[in-house]
Amino acid sequence: VCLCVCVVVPHWQEEDDLPYEEEIIRNPYSVKCWMRYIEYKQNGPKSVLNMVYERALKELPGSYKLWYNYLRERRKQVKGKCITESAFEEVNNCHERALVFMHKMPRIWLDYCQFLVDQCRITRSRRTFDRALRALPVTQHPRVWPLYLRFVRRHPLPETAVRAYRRYLKLCPENAEEYIEYLRSMGRLDEAAVRLAAIVNNESFVSKEGKSNYQLWHELCDLISQNPDKVRSLNVGAIIRGGLTRFTDQLGKLWCSMADYYIRSGHFEKARDVYEEAIQTVVTVRDFTQVFDSYAQFEESMIAAKMETTAELGPDGEDDVDLELRLARFEQLIARRPLLLNSVLLRQNPHNVHEWHKRVKLYEGQPREIINTYTEAVQTVDAMKATGKPHSLWVSFAKFYEDNQQLDDARTIFDKATKVSYKQVEELAAVWCEYGEMELRHENYDQALRILRKATAIPSKKAEYFDMSEPVQNRVYKSLKVWSMLADLEESLGTFKSTKAVYDRIIDLRIATPQIIINYALFLEEHNYFEESFKAYERGIALFKWPNVYDIWNTYLTKFIERYGGKKLERARDLFEQALDGCPPKYAKTIYLLYAKLEEEFGLARHAMAVYERATRAVSADEQHHMFNIYIRRAAQIYGVTYTRPIYQNAIEVLPDEHSREMCLRFADMESKLGEIDRARAIYSYCSQICDPRMTPAFWQTWKEFEIRHGNEDTIREMLRIKRSVQATYNTQVNFMSSQMLKATSGSTAADLAAGQSGGDDMKMLEQRAQEMAAEAQQDTPRAKDKILFVRSDTGPSPEHEEVSSREEA
């Protein structure tokens, strides 16, 4: 008996599915087997694929891999279809079934939420997001919230979005800026301001947009000041005033924000009070400029608004008065600007003397305000911290009273000024001098003398002039400025005895200057006390050293010669010797010339020549040449030309080459005029050793002309030989040759060197050229000629002579 078993195969299965089915039967709980089967069915009908997924999930309901791929496949199947079709609801049900097992998997929740959002199911999406947040652990919430927030921002449901954001900020408070930006975009500015104020006050808050605390504060100020009708939960005035204490470098912007808040609120008088308070408290010009410009713009807008209202409603008496009031207020504001700016600078530095003077000028024509300003200035300015000269405030204050014929008040001011502890003695001295000059202007001469005598009186406790530990009142008695003015007054108003006592006191205090000594001596001379004046000079000379004593000596010697001439010659000579003892070369010339003049006029000529001789050695190097010229000229006038020969010789030896050449030429010219041709030729020959033919062609031309006039062919040959020898001497000096040849860009010498030593180094070229020049210098013997021609001084040179000369020069 044969039994036949028939296997019934479902209609959706094919013959090729059997291996997979058998494998599943053997391993129903193997995910790999199910995934291979699913992969095989990927290109088959979607219903068959879904059936395989359902069978797999029935066996393995806890497999994340199967659920994830199944849900993704189902979403892909409905993509592009209308969201109202039932297929979407089937997919939603699949997600709900999956979440029964996969409720801890954030990816499943995120895909489901995104799928619902795409279906525009707002309420269901919101509830699903809430379920996801409840189901997932807190560590997974940051993955859900970005999608949730994009969803609530996508729809015009501000209340829902606000509640969602509030929950979100409990988890991530650092993202408060995003919430604030959303609130501002939705017009919910009150809560935005509250949130912004909270993060501004939170010192640990770090902006994710890289904003500083000040930038956040500035945003808050702009928000609350520009929207006063929408922000009601915050005290705007207190917030901005708190910012004024925190951000002192941005006071201008904060004051303007506060005023802008009151302007937008309609409280114009409060805004004006804020502006006034601001311009009275800011301490920088920048902040003042911001506040003042905003204030002026506010007043202009008020005037413009009033004029528009009047134009629309027609003129009215009260409106005209109000408009005039506003115009007057605006004009007064503009007129006050310089004064307000000055106040800012004085708040910046209340010890700035220059700004106090400017403030007084701004009150010109208002005596009461000027007096109040001066009073405030002298009370405020600390002389030790002052910028400028604080005593000038007291002086100007007193001059103001003086100009208004109130001398008693001016004297009171000066008396107070003399008791102020200034930083420098010069300031107190200036006050005393101004005090005395005021009395002089009003012809109170005795009072002026009394004031200056009081200023120069020796205090009970003496102090050194530069001892900063002592007050200036104890040191002003050594001020030369006060003593000089007292001396002038005594000369004009006092007696001879009192004036002499003042000058003596100045010298005793050792505060005299050379000019004071000279003035004292001239004063004594005017009163015919000549010996006393000379004693004054002597005292001054004992006080000072060179070079300060130069003026005293110069005046003393001049006056002494004027007074006595040759009567006291020995005394005068002794004075000159004292003056010249230790005299620097820079100042010796004048004294030596004065000494020589004395000897010429009243003494002996040989003494004068000795003085000139000493002078040529004592003066500085740059004045020696001039001194020798004077010496030669005076010697020629007194003793004759022949006496100057040793002087010329000394000058040629002493002076540098440049001046020595000039002396040689003058010396030779003098000898030729005297007929001493050989002496002149010897001088030329001596001088030629310091005259390079290339650098001093004028000398050689002069010598040549001399030989043409007075010499013959032999002398010319000798001159030319010397010229070649000198030239060779200069050329063999390595330093000179290197400085000349390396700088040369053209010329026969450079060409010869380039032709003979092309490619060689510089030292070889120099050596070669030196050897050539030395060979030329040794050819001293002239070639024999048929005849020797002599040249007469009264005729020009013959053609043959010219030929010889040109040939020798070549």
Side-chain angles (χ1 to χ4, degrees), residues 376-408:
E376 183 182 1
V378 297
Q379 291 175 351
T380 304
V381 174
D382 185 349
M384 295 297 177
K385 302 176 183 178
T387 302
K389 299 178 180 179
H391 75 277
S392 61
L393 288 172
W394 291 98
V395 173
S396 299
F397 195 5
K399 284 185 177 179
F400 172 75
Y401 278 123
E402 180 189 356
D403 295 338
N404 289 276
Q405 307 303 321
Q406 295 177 279
L407 287 183
D408 292 338

Side-chain angles (χ1 to χ4, degrees), residues 176 318 426 434 453 486 650:
E318 294 183 0
E426 289 84 355
E434 291 288 345
R453 286 169 182 166
L486 177 58
N650 187 24

Side-chain angles (χ1 to χ4, degrees), residues 286-306:
R286 185 191 64 179
D287 293 337
F288 171 78
T289 304
Q290 288 179 341
V291 174
F292 186 86
D293 292 345
S294 179
Y295 193 5
Q297 187 177 0
F298 162 67
E299 293 291 356
E300 286 182 359
S301 63
M302 293 291 291
I303 294 171
K306 190 63 179 179

